[in-house]
Amino acid sequence: MSKNFLEQLKDMTVVVSDTGDFNSIQEFRPRDATTNPSLIASAAAMPAYAKLTDEALAWARKDVDGANETIAARTVDRLAIEFGLRILQIVPGRVSTEVDARLSYDTKASVDKARTLISMYEAAGAKRERILIKLASTWEGIRAAEILEKEGIHCNMTLLFGMHQAVAAADAHATLISPFVGRILDWYKKDTGRASYPSHEDPGVVSVTKIYEYYKHHGIQTEVMGASFRNMGEITELAGCDLLTIAPSLLAELEAATGELPRKLDPAKAKAKSIPKIAMDESTFRAMHDADRMAKDKLAEGIENFSKALVSLEKQLASRL
C-alpha cells in the first residue's frame, strides 16, 4: 500500500504537532510538540483538562501568597509545565514552552522567566535537552536566546516573519526558528486585496524557502521549523524543511491525502545557489525591521494577541479560585 502524504512528509521532515490537546498528539504521533498561550488557554478551558488545571491552581496557592490574580499568574507557568510534562510522555522528542509574551521587549525578564520554566521542568524530572523555550523574535528576545543557549537552555524563536530576524537568530545560535507561514499570507491578502495565492507563490512559503536556503547555503546549524499554516498546500510546498509544526486538522488532511509528495526544499540545492551573507547588528536589524511593513505589523500583532491570551487565561484561572 502506498504511503499517505503525512507518512511521506515524515520521511523527509520532522513533523511537530501544534496543539495543547494530548488526544490529538496521541493520534498523530509527531516527534515533537509546540504550545503557545492561545493553545494552552484553549486546552485549559476543555472539561477534559479540568483536573489538571485544578492541580496547577492548588500548587500555585501553596507556592505564593497574595490575591487571586497573583495566584492565577503563577498558575499560568505551572499549567504550561504540566501540559509540557504530559506531552513529553507522548512524544519521543521535544516540547516548546513559551515565555510570557508581555516580556518580549525585556531581555533580562525573558532570561529570568526562561530559567524559572527550566527549573520547574527539571524539578519534575524532565531533562532540559527535551525542552525548547519559545521567545518572540524581537531584538531583545534574540539577545535573551543568546544568553540562554550558552547555559544549555535551548530556544525556539517564534513570531518570526523576516530575514533580518532569521539572520539575527542564527547569529545568536538559537536552536530553532519558527517562521510563521500563514500569518504572512494573511497580511499579504489583506494588503493586496487578493483572495488567494497559488501555493508555490504563497508569500509565507516564499519567505520560509528563502530562509531555509540561506541557512543551508551558509552551513547554519539553527533548525528551520515552518509554523502557522492556513492550508495543506503551504505544507506540501515546504516538504523537506527541517521541521514543520502542524495543527491537528491539517495533520488529518495530510493523512487522508494520497499520491506522490515531492521534496521541495533540499540542502544540496541550496548549497549550490549564490546567496550572499548578511552582516547583522542592532542598527541593521532595526532598519530592516522598520523597512519590512509585514514583519513589523505581524510581530507587534502576535505579541499583542499572545499577551491578550495570557490575560484571558489569568482571568479564567482567577475565576476558578
Side-chain angles (χ1 to χ4, degrees):
M1 181 182 287
S2 61
K3 292 182 176 181
N4 61 46
F5 274 20
L6 182 57
E7 291 169 327
Q8 292 178 68
L9 184 63
K10 286 181 176 180
D11 287 339
M12 57 185 122
T13 289
V14 172
V15 172
V16 180
S17 185
D18 192 14
T19 181
D21 181 6
F22 313 141
N23 294 329
S24 294
I25 298 170
Q26 286 176 322
E27 180 181 356
F28 295 107
R29 293 287 171 179
R31 194 198 76 177
D32 296 354
T34 60
T35 63
N36 63 44
S38 300
L39 294 173
I40 294 292
S42 297
M46 295 180 185
Y49 302 125
K51 185 172 182 292
L52 187 153
T53 303
D54 288 340
E55 288 173 356
L57 281 165
W59 177 90
R61 276 184 196 272
K62 295 177 182 177
D63 190 59
V64 294
D65 292 321
N68 285 356
E69 290 75 17
T70 304
I71 297 169
R74 186 67 172 135
T75 304
V76 171
D77 286 347
R78 189 66 197 180
L79 203 53
I81 300 302
E82 291 292 347
F83 274 90
L85 289 169
R86 282 160 177 76
I87 289 168
L88 287 174
Q89 292 173 10
I90 304 169
V91 302
R94 305 170 295 190
V95 67
S96 291
T97 297
E98 192 145 346
V99 162
D100 189 327
R102 292 167 292 189
L103 307 178
S104 296
Y105 296 101
D106 187 330
T107 297
K108 183 182 183 303
S110 293
V111 169
D112 290 344
K113 177 66 78 172
R115 289 171 177 158
T116 297
L117 293 172
I118 286 294
S119 68
M120 290 170 73
Y121 267 117
E122 291 183 328
K127 296 187 185 316
R128 66 174 58 189
E129 292 76 21
R130 296 191 66 199
I131 314 301
L132 289 173
I133 295 296
K134 289 177 80 174
L135 296 156
S137 298
T138 57
W139 180 257
E140 294 79 8
I142 293 167
R143 297 282 64 77
E146 186 173 39
I147 294 167
L148 293 165
E149 289 285 356
K150 290 175 181 175
E151 299 175 6
I153 298 174
H154 302 304
C155 298
N156 170 354
M157 303 313 300
T158 189
L159 295 175
L160 193 146
F161 302 98
M163 181 62 80
H164 59 292
Q165 293 170 296
V167 172
D171 289 349
H173 303 290
T175 296
L176 183 146
I177 62 167
S178 296
F180 276 29
V181 181
R183 296 194 194 191
I184 294 175
L185 173 64
D186 294 344
W187 189 92
Y188 276 95
K189 284 168 66 176
K190 183 178 179 181
D191 190 63
T192 63
R194 288 180 62 166
S196 63
Y197 285 81
S199 295
H200 67 283
E201 294 178 7
D202 183 305
V205 169
V206 172
S207 176
V208 175
T209 299
K210 287 180 178 177
I211 290 169
Y212 174 91
E213 290 179 342
Y214 180 90
Y215 274 23
K216 301 310 174 192
H217 181 81
H218 292 290
I220 292 166
Q221 296 302 304
T222 301
E223 298 171 293
V224 180
M225 180 171 73
S228 173
F229 294 105
R230 297 292 178 259
N231 55 67
M232 190 172 72
E234 290 180 323
I235 297 167
T236 58
E237 283 298 320
L238 293 174
C241 193
D242 297 330
L243 308 94
L244 297 174
T245 180
I246 306 169
S249 59
L250 288 170
L251 288 172
E253 281 189 44
L254 288 163
E255 192 172 55
T258 56
E260 185 181 351
L261 180 64
R263 182 173 191 137
K264 295 298 180 78
L265 300 188
D266 188 312
K269 291 179 180 176
K271 199 73 178 172
K273 292 192 172 186
S274 176
I275 304 174
K277 197 86 160 48
I278 300 171
M280 187 60 61
D281 56 20
E282 183 175 359
S283 61
T284 302
F285 180 93
R286 297 200 185 281
M288 290 180 72
H289 193 65
D290 284 340
D292 188 336
R293 287 193 302 125
M294 178 275 296
K296 190 173 183 179
D297 289 352
K298 297 308 288 185
L299 175 62
E301 178 187 88
I303 291 170
E304 181 182 2
N305 288 342
F306 282 163
S307 298
K308 284 179 180 176
L310 282 167
V311 170
S312 174
L313 177 56
E314 288 173 356
K315 287 179 179 177
Q316 177 189 326
L317 293 169
S319 70
R320 288 176 82 113
L321 288 163

